[in-house]
């Protein structure tokens, strides 16, 4: 397939995503919402941490907690969003079958649609960091930031997030009724298991072993380590930078391949059962 | 059509196609297609004529790669719909009538352009084609209107146009004029004819339960019922199969004005036509064999308490063929048991 055709299809899917995401309100309201939401999230995080620690804020622990939550925005937006794309297209717009019967390819389509979610998540993360830096006083020595390693880890982790999104989209194809709760349930599971809000060392040993199979655990750790100089987990601190990146790459690779074939298997099953154009919710 | 294998292959070919659906809550398995063999040549408008639930949409779904067959094979433009779905999708488009699908936030023009991009149509070709299709489906005034502000009929016409933006090799039209007003349906039928004849090799598979639509458009018609193709030929050839005798239409006053129970005419198969509630009558249609006369039939109806108010005879139509082949009318429910 010509690269220009692929690029055109990605661009069109992204354009559609933008239209759907941004057109529920007039531009001013949408802009206010886009800025207010992450700022409110930052304040809520502050409130939660304040309540949990009884008002005794430990700046470093809060910073780790804050960074984890900020980057979890990508999981929330992309994973939940990609599952929601399937539900919305099939049930509300009833267009999924036309997208499927066209040559765009569902992976291209979901990549394109998710690029808008990526942009929204990035805006949220940037705003949360600005809020943290200037309002909440969450500052650190920028000299410790290892930009190259950070960007590499960030990009690899995003691939894992997108492939998790594919898997969720496949499950949404097959389980239309469970799709909405399942999407958010998965994001919450990762939130609790992969070291977003507390180090994985606090989990029971068995669960720790499970989380070490997931790329997201290494992702959150690597983002913190390359951004502020250290991670949150004592267990993962034993890994050198190279080992941490290697573990992230290996886990992402395995996860991406498994998700890709998992999606195809789910899609085959959905096609067998006639679920691609089945409407059940709206 | 750069692929020579594809260019030489028939537009559609199915062999022993069978599809069953698992019934919910322990019910019996539903047989939607039962060994369908169909071959559609390039350049044909091929009609699938059958009542609701006959298997028409199931066949279209399989051919458009949305559903797997349970048994058998299907090829579109030479490509297997299961193993080469991507190749099939490059060559087809699908329009389902009676649907109001669409991204409500897009305008008509945006929606059509977007689908052209999914098919990889270059923008310099796509935009003029989009505008042309908008003109053809009579949506020029609504071109910049958001889809969620269109009426149901306008949405249906937009969906019809969507199918043609990619200029597919094989077009699947699943009841495309369902629920449309008469004028819109007529102009869309005219466009389908024009589109197929304009460029050699363009093919249409049309499902319908409008006899006149099948008769007007289709080079060949397959009559399908309960998942089986019962007859397949050109409309004149099908008509010839049931010619002889007289096609009789009786206007009958029925006790309840609806006439749900078909009166017995001995060995002559009959079917109800449309009711005329304003007159409290309904048309009964049947073919009287050449060796029979009408009077005993009328007496038989009288014995069953039915009053015949009018009698007419006419030429053989596809509906007569349908009744002769299937054993009941198109809009008539299947007899239970």
């Amino acid at each position: 397939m010509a690269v220009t055709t692929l690029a055109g299809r990605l661009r069109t899917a992204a354009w559609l995503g933008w239209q759907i995401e941004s057109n529920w309100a007039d531009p001013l309201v949408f802009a206010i919402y886009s800025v207010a939401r992450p700022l409110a999230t930052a304040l809520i995080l502050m409130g939660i941490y304040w309540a949990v620690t009884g008002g005794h804020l430990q700046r470093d622990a809060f910073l780790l907690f804050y960074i984890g939550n900020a980057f979890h925005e990508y999981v929330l937006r992309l994973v939940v969003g990609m599952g929601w794309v399937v539900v919305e297209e099939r049930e509300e717009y009833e267009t999924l079958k036309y997208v499927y019967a066209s040559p765009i390819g569902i992976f291209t389509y979901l990549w394109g649609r998710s690029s808008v979610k990526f942009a929204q998540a990035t805006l949220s993360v940037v705003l949360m960091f600005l809020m943290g830096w200037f309002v909440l006083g969450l500052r650190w020595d920028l000299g410790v930031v290892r930009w190259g390693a950070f960007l590499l880890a960030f990009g690899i982790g995003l691939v894992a997030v997108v492939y998790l999104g594919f898997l969720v989209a496949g499950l949404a194809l097959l389980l239309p009724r469970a799709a909405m709760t399942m999407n958010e349930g998965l994001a919450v599971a990762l939130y609790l298991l992969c070291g977003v809000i507390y180090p994985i060392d606090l989990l029971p040993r068995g669960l720790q072993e499970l989380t070490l199979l997931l790329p997201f655990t290494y992702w959150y750790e690597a983002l913190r380590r390359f951004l502020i100089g250290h991670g949150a987990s004592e267990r993962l601190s034993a890994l050198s930078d190279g080992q941490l990146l290697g573990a992230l790459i290996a886990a992402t690779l395995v996860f991406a391949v498994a998700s890709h074939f998992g999606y195809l298997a789910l899609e085959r099953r959905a096609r067998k059962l006639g679920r691609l154009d089945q409407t059940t919710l709206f | 059509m750069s692929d020579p294998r594809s260019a030489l292959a028939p537009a559609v070919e199915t062999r022993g196609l069978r599809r069953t659906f698992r019934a919910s809550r322990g019910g019996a398995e539903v047989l939607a297609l039962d060994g369908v063999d169909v071959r559609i040549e390039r350049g044909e408008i091929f009609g699938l004529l059958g009542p609701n639930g006959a298997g028409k949409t199931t066949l279209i779904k399989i051919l458009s790669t949305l559903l797997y067959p349970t048994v058998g094979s299907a090829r579109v433009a030479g490509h297997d719909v299961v193993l080469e779905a991507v190749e099939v999708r490059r060559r087809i488009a699908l329009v389902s009538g009676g649907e109001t699908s669409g991204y409500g936030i897009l305008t008509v023009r945006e929606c059509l352009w977007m689908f052209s991009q999914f098919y990889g149509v270059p923008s310099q070709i796509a935009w003029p084609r989009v505008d042309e299709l908008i003109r053809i489906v009579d949506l020029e005034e609504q071109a910049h209107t958001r889809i969620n502000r269109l009426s149901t009929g306008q949405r249906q016409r937009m969906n019809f146009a969507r199918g043609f933006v990619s200029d597919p090799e094989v077009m699947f039209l699943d009841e495309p004029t369902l629920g449309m007003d008469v004028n819109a349906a007529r102009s869309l039928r005219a466009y389908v004819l024009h589109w197929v004849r304009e460029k050699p090799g363009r093919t249409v598979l049309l499902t319908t339960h409008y006899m006149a639509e099948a008769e007007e458009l289709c080079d060949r018609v397959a009559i399908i019922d309960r998942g089986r193709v019962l007859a397949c030929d050109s409309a004149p050839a099908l008509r010839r199969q049931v010619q002889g005798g007289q096609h009789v239409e009786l206007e009958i006053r029925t006790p309840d004005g609806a006439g749900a129970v078909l009166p017995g005419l001995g060995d002559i198969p009959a079917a109800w036509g449309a009711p005329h509630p304003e007159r409290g009558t309904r048309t009964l249609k049947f073919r009287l064999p050449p060796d029979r006369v009408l009077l005993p039939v009328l007496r038989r109806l009288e014995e069953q308490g039915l009053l015949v108010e009018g009698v007419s005879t006419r030429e053989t139509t596809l509906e007569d063929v349908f009744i002769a082949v299937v054993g009941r009318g198109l809009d008539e429910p299947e007899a239970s048991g």
Side-chain angles (χ1 to χ4, degrees):
Chain A
M1 181 179 19
V3 175
T4 47
T5 305
L6 177 64
R9 286 173 179 163
L10 274 171
R11 209 171 40 241
T12 308
W15 171 84
L16 173 63
W18 172 247
Q19 296 297 320
I20 290 173
E21 293 294 331
S22 64
N23 271 288
W24 56 268
D26 64 54
L28 180 66
V29 174
F30 181 71
I32 292 170
Y33 168 79
S34 299
V35 172
R37 186 180 178 277
L39 299 185
T41 305
L43 289 174
I44 290 167
L45 286 176
M46 175 88 177
I48 290 170
Y49 196 84
W50 185 273
V52 169
T53 59
H56 302 293
L57 274 180
Q58 290 178 296
R59 205 198 66 86
D60 192 51
F62 182 51
L63 182 58
L64 291 168
F65 171 82
Y66 194 85
I67 291 172
N69 274 280
F71 284 106
H72 190 65
E73 192 70 13
Y74 285 104
V75 174
L76 280 175
R77 295 272 192 170
L78 287 165
V79 174
V80 177
M82 284 165 82
W84 180 245
V85 165
V86 168
V87 174
E88 196 177 48
E89 298 259 333
R90 180 175 49 196
E91 310 276 349
E92 189 181 353
Y93 301 126
E94 297 179 36
T95 46
L96 188 67
K97 66 175 176 179
Y98 298 116
V99 172
Y100 246 99
S102 81
I104 186 171
I106 197 68
F107 285 118
T108 309
Y109 184 72
L110 288 175
W111 268 109
R113 288 287 305 267
S114 63
S115 64
V116 178
K117 310 272 183 197
F118 168 77
Q120 287 179 312
T122 302
L123 177 68
S124 286
V125 171
V126 168
L127 288 170
M128 282 179 73
F129 273 103
L130 289 174
M131 176 88 168
W133 190 275
F134 291 108
V135 180
L136 304 178
L138 290 172
R139 295 177 192 174
W140 68 96
D141 178 9
L142 289 177
V144 302
V145 180
R146 280 166 284 167
W147 288 109
F150 170 77
L151 290 173
L152 182 64
F154 176 70
I156 294 165
L158 271 184
V159 171
V161 172
V162 170
Y163 273 97
L164 179 62
F166 285 145
L167 200 58
V168 167
L171 286 165
L173 277 180
L174 196 60
L175 308 166
R177 286 176 193 278
M180 285 190 291
T181 47
M182 183 188 61
N183 298 347
E184 296 189 3
L186 258 171
V188 170
L190 293 184
Y191 190 69
L192 296 174
L193 291 176
C194 294
V196 178
I197 48 170
Y198 45 75
I200 61 160
D201 314 284
L202 297 180
L203 293 169
R205 194 75 187 175
L207 273 181
Q208 282 186 39
E209 302 306 323
L210 177 71
T211 63
L212 289 175
L213 296 174
L214 297 171
F216 310 101
T217 306
Y218 303 103
W219 191 49
Y220 292 117
E221 185 71 5
L223 292 174
R224 288 177 176 125
R225 188 187 291 188
F226 299 133
L227 207 56
I228 61 172
H230 62 90
S233 162
E234 208 175 304
R235 188 166 177 189
L236 291 175
S237 68
L239 299 177
S240 67
D241 292 351
Q243 285 171 326
L244 184 60
L245 273 175
L248 173 61
I249 290 168
T252 298
L253 202 63
V254 171
F255 186 79
V257 171
S259 294
H260 181 84
F261 287 105
Y263 175 85
L264 292 178
L266 290 164
E267 186 203 90
R268 266 198 302 276
R269 183 85 187 134
R271 222 174 129 191
K272 202 169 180 177
L273 295 175
R275 298 263 163 90
L276 293 184
D277 63 337
Q278 197 177 55
T279 52
T280 55
L281 299 173
F282 289 89
Chain B
M1 281 192 282
S2 54
D3 176 2
R5 179 168 65 111
S6 171
L8 292 171
V12 172
E13 191 172 25
T14 70
R15 284 189 187 159
L17 207 59
R18 184 181 165 89
R19 172 70 210 198
T20 54
F21 289 99
R22 204 171 49 190
S24 56
R25 292 175 192 168
E29 198 172 60
V30 179
L31 179 61
L33 292 177
D34 186 10
V36 171
D37 295 304
V38 168
R39 183 185 164 103
I40 305 173
E41 300 300 338
R42 300 274 182 167
E44 265 195 295
I45 303 181
F46 186 91
L48 268 180
L49 188 63
N52 289 333
K56 306 184 299 288
T57 300
T58 301
L59 179 58
I60 291 248
K61 282 185 186 178
I62 290 173
L63 294 174
S64 56
T65 76
L66 295 175
L67 186 67
Y68 282 141
T70 308
V71 178
S73 69
R75 301 181 85 81
V76 174
H79 296 282
D80 189 285
V81 295
V82 174
L83 302 173
E84 301 169 282
V86 175
E87 290 301 322
V88 172
R89 288 169 187 159
R90 279 186 192 152
R91 294 165 169 83
I92 64 164
L94 168 67
V95 171
S96 297
E99 274 191 4
T100 53
S101 59
Y103 303 94
I105 40 89
L106 301 185
T107 68
V108 171
R109 205 163 178 263
E110 286 171 340
C111 181
L112 297 183
W113 171 81
M114 184 188 75
F115 272 97
S116 76
Q117 299 310 290
F118 287 176
Y119 283 83
V121 180
S123 280
Q124 66 271 24
I125 296 172
W127 280 120
R129 191 182 286 164
V130 164
D131 291 332
E132 171 72 0
L133 284 165
I134 285 174
R135 188 188 61 73
I136 285 161
V137 298
D138 196 21
L139 286 176
E140 282 164 303
E141 281 179 28
Q142 291 79 24
H144 299 283
T145 303
R146 280 187 175 189
I147 294 168
N148 57 12
R149 296 197 182 128
L150 298 181
S151 69
T152 303
Q154 288 168 338
R155 276 193 183 208
Q156 282 182 256
R157 280 183 273 146
M158 187 210 67
N159 274 322
F160 178 87
R162 179 191 43 71
F164 289 87
V165 288
S166 59
D167 190 18
E169 288 177 38
V170 184
M171 169 65 83
F172 297 116
L173 299 176
D174 188 12
E175 313 252 9
T177 57
L178 188 69
M180 274 189 193
D181 68 68
V182 177
N183 287 335
R186 188 186 299 132
S187 73
L188 296 192
R189 281 199 295 270
Y191 179 69
V192 171
L193 263 180
H194 164 79
W195 183 79
V196 171
R197 306 299 179 228
E198 188 187 33
K199 188 171 152 188
R202 284 173 174 167
T203 308
V204 170
L205 170 54
L206 168 85
T207 76
T208 183
H209 64 255
Y210 297 140
M211 301 284 182
E213 189 164 274
E215 191 123 31
E216 180 186 338
L217 288 180
C218 299
D219 300 305
R220 283 193 303 147
V221 175
I223 293 176
I224 185 169
D225 187 46
R226 281 178 277 187
R228 296 179 63 205
V229 173
L230 302 175
C232 179
D233 215 324
S234 65
L238 285 173
R239 278 198 298 269
R240 276 198 297 278
Q241 288 179 17
V242 292
Q243 268 169 358
Q246 276 181 299
H247 293 285
V248 182
E249 288 187 2
L250 304 179
E251 190 172 349
I252 290 183
R253 177 164 299 283
T254 53
D256 58 357
V261 180
L262 201 62
L265 301 181
D267 57 345
I268 302 172
W272 284 122
H276 308 290
E278 71 284 0
R279 298 201 295 271
T281 62
R282 191 161 189 183
T283 308
L284 184 70
K285 303 172 179 184
F286 58 92
R287 184 171 66 96
L288 193 66
D291 57 338
R292 305 282 282 275
V293 287
L294 188 59
L295 199 58
V297 176
L298 298 178
R299 282 210 188 105
R300 200 177 178 124
L301 289 169
E302 203 176 297
E303 283 163 17
Q304 292 171 61
L306 300 169
L307 180 63
V308 178
E309 294 204 338
V311 180
S312 62
T313 58
R314 51 168 179 74
E315 293 295 307
T316 308
T317 64
L318 264 186
E319 192 169 3
D320 302 316
V321 177
F322 189 89
I323 292 166
V325 170
V326 176
R328 66 178 195 282
L330 195 54
D331 298 319
E332 208 172 307
E334 240 177 291
S336 57

